Amino acid sequence: MTLSFYKYQGTGNDFVMIDDRLERFDLDDLSTVSKICDRKFGVGSDGLILIRNHPEYDFEMIYYNADGSQSMCGNGARCAVAFSHLLGIIGLETSFLAIDGGHKAKIVDGKVELLMGEISKPKEVEGDVFINTGSPHHLRKVEQIRDYPVVEEGSRIRYSERYPEGTNVNFVEAIDENEIFVRTYERGVENETLSCGTGVTAAALAFGTKNPNQTVAIKTLGGDLAVRYSLNEDHEFEDVWLIGPAEKVFEGTLELNEESVAEQSH
Ligand SMILES: N[C@H](CCC[C@H](N)C(=O)O)C(=O)O
């Protein structure tokens, strides 16, 4: 059975995208998800994204990390918007469904702006910070970030008893008043990724700026992102937008053995 796919990347966080509006992909077949994401035996990516129809939204995005686990993915959502535009499902604005609920997004000057969903209040954790921006993030302020042992320290925190479900771990260095550099160890990829959308959003909110209603510039190993947000009178985050590029890299076809694709009769 062959399935066509597209490869997208958003500041180096890369995804296999499948137009699954015919609902042929078996959502429970996690071994096929990991095979597709495998960088030696498959296409290779940080995650896999299915686009499906939805009665109340322009589309639904179903995201899997490379290990088959599921969560909200900010960069993946931005790539899903660009992909849905390419497929002609949407124009330049959309309202779509992800695992953490509905999101608005728009394509402006070739970048995708994503309105983030519910965000938890920052919690202090032994000198670090924890925020859930649709996926869980442990954040630590560091110096000389380029030399920081991201995988060693990131995996230690990710697998610590504090996080029975695991967490993503971000290391953040302040560049100036409104600019930070972020490196991320990602749960479900179990490695450092070149950028993490929900992670840089958490970093911007935790350490990004002293001036609310500002845009925080974020540098990552994979490229530049921005987060714009405002604070309401209770000092809660509101209108949090994640902004950045989402590029199509190539397209191809996947050879899937029969059991990887749900029978037509389902
Ligand atoms: N690995 C994350 C999901 C993907 C997050 C990241 N790729 C993003 O852009 O937000 C988790 O398991 O919570």
Side-chain angles (χ1 to χ4, degrees), residues 127-129 138-151 153-154 156-157 169-176 179-184 192 203 206-207 219:
D128 293 342
V129 179
H138 181 107
L139 302 121
R140 175 172 297 171
K141 207 87 182 285
V142 300
E143 306 293 331
Q144 275 98 39
I145 193 161
R146 286 188 181 275
D147 308 326
Y148 197 86
V150 167
V151 174
E153 187 59 13
R156 192 186 65 73
I157 298 168
V169 188
N170 302 272
F171 302 99
V172 186
E173 181 169 7
I175 296 172
D176 70 23
E179 187 171 15
I180 55 178
F181 198 113
V182 183
R183 293 180 66 186
T184 307
E192 178 175 10
F207 306 123
K219 292 215 162 307

Side-chain angles (χ1 to χ4, degrees), residues 11-13 46 75 150 182-186 189 191-196 220-222:
T11 50
N13 204 190
D46 291 333
N75 286 329
V150 167
V182 183
R183 293 180 66 186
T184 307
Y185 176 92
E186 265 199 58
V189 181
N191 205 341
E192 178 175 10
T193 55
L194 295 184
S195 78
C196 174
T220 73
L221 295 177

Side-chain angles (χ1 to χ4, degrees), residues 13 15 63 65 69-76 135-137 168 186-189 193 195-199:
N13 204 190
F15 310 97
Y63 174 78
N65 284 310
S69 58
Q70 290 191 274
S71 184
M72 170 55 186
C73 179
N75 286 329
S135 56
H137 289 277
N168 304 285
E186 265 199 58
R187 173 184 72 167
V189 181
T193 55
S195 78
C196 174
T198 50

Side-chain angles (χ1 to χ4, degrees), residues 56-204:
E56 286 134 56
Y57 293 92
D58 295 338
F59 64 89
E60 179 181 9
M61 91 175 242
I62 300 172
Y63 174 78
Y64 297 90
N65 284 310
D67 70 355
S69 58
Q70 290 191 274
S71 184
M72 170 55 186
C73 179
N75 286 329
R78 295 188 307 96
C79 290
V81 170
F83 182 44
S84 298
H85 180 70
L86 177 90
L87 295 175
I89 299 173
I90 63 170
L92 296 176
E93 304 216 354
T94 181
S95 169
F96 68 95
L97 183 66
I99 195 168
D100 67 334
H103 290 266
K104 292 197 181 318
K106 49 190 174 185
I107 300 172
V108 180
D109 303 335
K111 288 188 180 165
V112 180
E113 302 193 6
L114 170 72
L115 181 61
M116 301 303 281
E118 202 171 316
I119 291 175
S120 70
K121 278 191 186 316
K123 203 170 61 178
E124 197 271 329
V125 178
E126 287 164 14
D128 293 342
V129 179
F130 178 85
I131 302 183
N132 191 304
T133 50
S135 56
H137 289 277
H138 181 107
L139 302 121
R140 175 172 297 171
K141 207 87 182 285
V142 300
E143 306 293 331
Q144 275 98 39
I145 193 161
R146 286 188 181 275
D147 308 326
Y148 197 86
V150 167
V151 174
E152 183 190 337
E153 187 59 13
S155 53
R156 192 186 65 73
I157 298 168
R158 175 262 188 273
Y159 285 106
S160 64
E161 273 159 33
R162 172 181 300 282
Y163 297 111
E165 309 278 308
T167 183
N168 304 285
V169 188
N170 302 272
F171 302 99
V172 186
E173 181 169 7
I175 296 172
D176 70 23
E177 177 64 359
N178 283 344
E179 187 171 15
I180 55 178
F181 198 113
V182 183
R183 293 180 66 186
T184 307
Y185 176 92
E186 265 199 58
R187 173 184 72 167
V189 181
E190 303 314 337
N191 205 341
E192 178 175 10
T193 55
L194 295 184
S195 78
C196 174
T198 50
V200 302
T201 303

Side-chain angles (χ1 to χ4, degrees), residues 4-21:
S4 75
F5 72 89
Y6 289 73
K7 187 78 191 307
Y8 271 72
Q9 60 86 11
T11 50
N13 204 190
D14 65 333
F15 310 97
V16 171
M17 319 288 297
I18 294 175
D19 172 3
D20 194 39
R21 286 178 285 173

